[in-house]
Amino acid sequence: MTQIEIAVQDAAGAEAARDAGADRVEVCSALSLGGLTPSAGLLDRAIAAADGRIDVHVLIRHRPGTFVTSEDELAVMVDDVRHARDSGVSGVVIGTLRRDS
């Protein structure tokens, strides 16, 4: 089964994706930087724009650059995942690496 996911960075994008027949959206900010975690307000507005008709996933990536994550950065990401879950998203998109010792 083919699914169409569209990366969006505002509520208007989520609404347009929904109306165009997308199966889900990936909400992020700063797409020009490869995508970053959106603010809580942006996420809430995108969820509302999806109107329960399509799945909403949220990107959890707090900074551009490498995916090597410190313990402190990982703790922030965990908090962001909790907020996303509590906001009602269908899923999260995340990637992180540990620097090998």
Side-chain angles (χ1 to χ4, degrees):
M1 178 166 100
T2 300
Q3 289 211 344
I4 297 173
E5 176 185 85
I6 299 175
V8 301
Q9 53 185 2
D10 55 31
E15 188 174 320
R18 180 201 70 204
D19 292 346
D23 298 295
R24 69 182 185 206
V25 292
E26 177 183 322
V27 183
C28 57
S29 63
L31 279 171
S32 64
L33 299 176
L36 299 175
T37 303
S39 70
L42 171 57
L43 180 59
D44 291 345
R45 289 187 176 269
I47 291 168
D51 197 26
R53 296 181 3 212
I54 60 173
D55 288 342
V56 176
H57 289 203
V58 61
L59 178 65
I60 305 297
R61 182 175 182 231
H62 64 283
R63 62 167 171 76
T66 72
F67 288 90
V68 176
T69 306
S70 72
E71 291 298 318
D72 289 338
E73 291 170 328
L74 186 58
V76 170
M77 294 170 80
V78 168
D79 289 344
D80 285 341
V81 168
R82 286 187 179 119
H83 172 76
R85 177 199 61 207
D86 294 345
S87 294
V89 299
S90 304
V92 297
V93 178
I94 191 167
T96 185
L97 300 170
R98 286 190 323 194
R99 190 177 311 277
D100 288 328
S101 324

